Amino acid sequence: AQSVSQHNHHVILSEAASLELGCNYSYGGTVNLFWYVQYPGQHLQLLLKYFSGDPLVKGIKGFEAEFIKSKFSFNLRKPSVQWSDTAEYFCAVNRVTGGGNKLTFGTGTQLKVEL
Amino acid sequence: EAGVAQSPRYKIIEKRQSVAFWCNPISGHATLYWYQQILGQGPKLLIQFQNNGVVDDSQLPKDRFSAERLKGVDSTLKIQPAKLEDSAVYLCASSLGDFRQADTQYFGPGTRLTVL
């Protein structure tokens, strides 16, 4: 079965620090990759996605992620975090089967940015 | 553009009672999904609809969960009877295109269910 691993469950950073959140998946076929973010009290929002093309994708609010197919990874990065980036971040991997889109989520990483 | 709407936002029931959740997807979105998110975990797909037909319900506990999307727009998810382990956030998501093509899912605010 397809699985998604997020290695960091809780991350605490100071403002202006750099961020990298790891995401690895197990499926070997064609996948589409997503990072979703959930700010406190809000619903899941799309941060960025990869379908094809340039493996370095840029999303909203200065986030980017790099798809490394050989490592089955899709790590999220931001060079300088802000207090407003405090949120929970979910990596998700989608594959299309005869049964439709199968979107599998990681367990999430809780990021806290301190002033 | 209006997002995915869900109601109620919170629900508290006792075990063995029944409960229903409602979802209205983004206008024009053909595919609708229901997810269950237990505390500390990522969302897990329960059922997927394309218009008013079920595409995949392999993860839906059919002995107690049911879902429908009769007119291909709104959807309801029901639990009857509820168990303690059903306490979770129930998320609805929708996507624009055909279920056979890769697509982006947009999520609603969820319904937080507490079963006592």
Side-chain angles (χ1 to χ4, degrees), chain A residues 62-82:
Chain A
F63 285 90
E64 65 178 31
E66 184 175 12
F67 171 47
I68 304 179
K69 190 174 181 180
S70 61
K71 294 185 178 180
F72 299 90
S73 71
F74 190 56
N75 293 352
L76 181 70
R77 300 194 291 250
K78 186 171 183 179
S80 176
V81 295
Q82 299 175 307

Side-chain angles (χ1 to χ4, degrees), chain A residues 89-108:
Chain A
Y89 293 80
F90 291 92
C91 178
V93 177
N94 185 56
R95 61 186 179 96
V96 180
T97 71
N101 281 255
K102 302 286 188 187
L103 187 65
T104 302
F105 283 84
T107 52

